[in-house]
Amino acid sequence: MGDWVRPFQTNDSSFLEVRVLKENYKQEMQKRQAEQRAKVQQASDPDRGLILVHTGNGKGKSTSAFGVIVRALGWQKSVAVVQFIKGSWRTGERAFFTKMKGVTWHTMGEGFTWDTQDRERDTVVAQAAFSKASDYLKSGEYDLVVLDEINIAIRQGYLDIPALLAALEERANTTSVILTGRDAKPEICAAADLVTEMTEIKHPYAAGIKAQRGIDY
């Protein structure tokens, strides 16, 4: 053998160091696996739908809900969406999901409330949308109901908190519901199984960049 071939030595310090690192990593993963399996064994199925709240000032509340819709459809589950506030504004998600089998879509239908500038009319159409949402929740026909921007409708006073809490309580046992929008009220968060707050760190709109088709809507 030529001089350029270095014989293998089991006592090589770098080899031993790598071996120790691999063994430590294996032990760490075995411990984590055991902990995870223990948590799974201790967890129980609630035998009911869940209430999820997506709130906060950051972008992604509705986007996250639409991602859950995709997940639900992947399991052949039925979905209903009621959009508050956004109204007749054309969005990519609406164009996509209204073509999908298994999705029922209802939009409040009057455009952004800051464009209508008519509180009485905004209240009427919001309550009509809420009536539709309540029907979806009670029907038992849907595994998932998304109430998009309903937290804003509550904040603006178009809908009552007690009425929303009652609708959540009276929903079909198998129906999960996602409520999106900033400023979710404490009572709604208290009733939820999951509350996620989106935190804004940086947003292009603050730099004067307008909303982008396919990214923001």
Side-chain angles (χ1 to χ4, degrees):
M1 299 175 65
D3 294 337
W4 58 271
V5 178
R6 182 171 180 266
F8 179 76
Q9 298 179 3
T10 57
N11 62 346
D12 186 278
S13 60
S14 61
F15 171 79
L16 293 175
E17 183 179 355
V18 170
R19 184 173 180 179
V20 169
L21 288 173
K22 286 184 176 181
E23 185 61 29
N24 288 344
Y25 179 82
K26 182 178 180 180
Q27 292 178 1
E28 180 184 349
M29 291 301 104
Q30 289 175 337
K31 179 182 178 182
R32 188 173 300 180
Q33 181 187 61
E35 292 173 347
Q36 186 63 30
R37 287 179 175 175
K39 288 180 181 179
V40 171
Q41 290 178 350
Q42 293 171 4
S44 60
D45 196 313
D47 293 322
R48 62 171 177 82
L50 302 180
I51 300 174
L52 299 84
V53 173
H54 299 175
T55 192
N57 292 332
K59 175 178 169 58
K61 298 175 285 294
S62 297
T63 306
S64 179
F66 299 143
V68 178
I69 293 176
V70 172
R71 181 173 289 167
L73 293 176
W75 289 102
Q76 291 78 51
K77 294 183 179 293
S78 56
V79 180
V81 179
V82 179
Q83 282 195 306
F84 296 82
I85 308 301
K86 292 175 179 175
S88 57
W89 186 35
R90 185 183 179 189
T91 62
E93 59 268 19
R94 181 180 179 185
F96 177 78
F97 284 117
T98 51
K99 298 176 183 177
M100 298 294 292
K101 183 179 179 180
V103 179
T104 298
W105 194 285
H106 179 82
T107 302
M108 205 164 92
E110 289 285 329
F112 285 108
T113 54
W114 53 81
D115 289 329
T116 62
Q117 301 178 11
D118 186 332
R119 181 176 182 80
E120 183 177 351
R121 191 174 80 182
D122 291 339
T123 300
V124 169
V125 295
Q127 290 181 351
F130 179 68
S131 177
K132 181 69 70 174
S134 298
D135 291 342
Y136 291 158
L137 290 168
K138 291 178 183 178
S139 69
E141 297 178 14
Y142 301 101
D143 299 297
L144 175 66
V145 176
V146 175
L147 306 181
D148 188 36
E149 303 290 5
I150 194 170
N151 292 331
I152 302 298
I154 291 287
R155 185 189 70 184
Q156 294 296 99
Y158 305 143
L159 305 174
D160 296 326
I161 295 176
L164 174 56
L165 293 176
L168 295 176
E169 182 67 26
E170 295 168 4
R171 77 188 190 281
N173 190 57
T174 57
T175 299
S176 293
V177 56
I178 304 178
L179 304 92
T180 77
R182 300 183 181 205
D183 303 320
K185 297 297 183 181
E187 299 94 325
I188 298 172
C189 293
D193 297 285
L194 178 147
V195 178
T196 298
E197 182 175 7
M198 309 293 184
T199 301
E200 181 179 318
I201 296 176
K202 190 174 184 179
H203 198 295
Y205 191 73
I209 300 174
K210 68 179 183 180
Q212 298 295 294
R213 184 179 296 177
I215 298 294
D216 298 299
Y217 66 93

